[in-house]
């Protein structure tokens, strides 16, 4: 799904992700996935300088991958230290804490920042 690089797209991305997970019967992952997609989308909007971002939610084997792609080739940073009162610089800490795995891939036209959530057995 292509979304405008606008703050309102964070809530749209959360809603879309929630709908997808519900359609797969994975409601238990919805809250965590919503936080993750909001952080990835916000980072893209703030740092990429692009006019759009792309959201991908894919179920593969025992996990769900959430990916946000944008035109910037600037990879995300996990900032160590810093002021906990600062409004910026904590997004990837949230992703690191909530996701089972995360990373970023350089693409010919930008980058994709992704995170995986393991699907609980049962």
């Amino acid at each position: 799904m292509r979304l405008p690089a606008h703050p309102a797209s964070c809530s749209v991305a959360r809603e879309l992700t929630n709908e997808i997970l519900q359609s797969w019967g994975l409601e238990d992952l919805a809250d965590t996935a919503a936080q993750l997609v909001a952080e990835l989308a916000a980072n893209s909007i703030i740092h990429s300088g692009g006019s759009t971002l792309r959201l991908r939610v894919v179920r593969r084997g025992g996990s769900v991958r959430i990916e946000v792609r944008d035109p910037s080739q600037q990879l995300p940073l996990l900032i160590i230290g810093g002021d906990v009162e600062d409004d910026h610089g904590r997004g990837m800490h949230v992703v690191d804490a909530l996701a089972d795995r995360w990373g970023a891939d350089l693409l010919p036209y930008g980058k994709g920042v992704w995170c995986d959530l393991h699907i609980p057995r049962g």
Side-chain angles (χ1 to χ4, degrees):
M1 163 88 33
R2 185 175 288 207
L3 299 169
H6 185 274
S9 291
C10 292
S11 62
V12 172
R14 284 193 306 264
E15 291 170 16
L16 289 169
T17 301
N18 188 38
E19 289 174 14
I20 292 166
L21 292 176
Q22 285 186 13
S23 75
W24 292 338
L26 299 175
E27 295 87 358
D28 292 348
L29 297 179
D31 288 341
T32 302
Q35 287 181 287
L36 289 165
V37 75
E39 292 296 339
L40 295 180
N43 279 354
S44 175
I45 292 163
I46 292 166
H47 299 293
S48 77
S51 61
T52 62
L53 59 92
R54 292 182 186 192
L55 170 65
R56 294 180 69 226
V57 181
V58 181
R59 182 176 181 170
R60 346 191 267 178
S63 67
V64 172
R65 175 161 289 186
I66 299 166
E67 181 179 24
V68 172
R69 294 181 174 187
D70 64 46
S72 171
Q73 289 201 320
Q74 180 181 347
L75 296 175
L77 297 173
L78 187 62
I79 298 171
I80 306 300
D83 186 354
V84 295
E85 300 294 321
D86 192 0
D87 287 338
H88 299 289
R90 295 188 311 246
M92 293 314 294
H93 282 283
V94 172
V95 172
D96 189 58
L98 295 178
D100 293 304
R101 202 170 80 122
W102 70 272
D105 299 316
L106 287 175
L107 305 169
Y109 58 85
K111 71 174 175 303
V113 182
W114 53 266
C115 59
D116 292 339
L117 288 174
H118 296 304
I119 299 171
R121 293 182 187 248

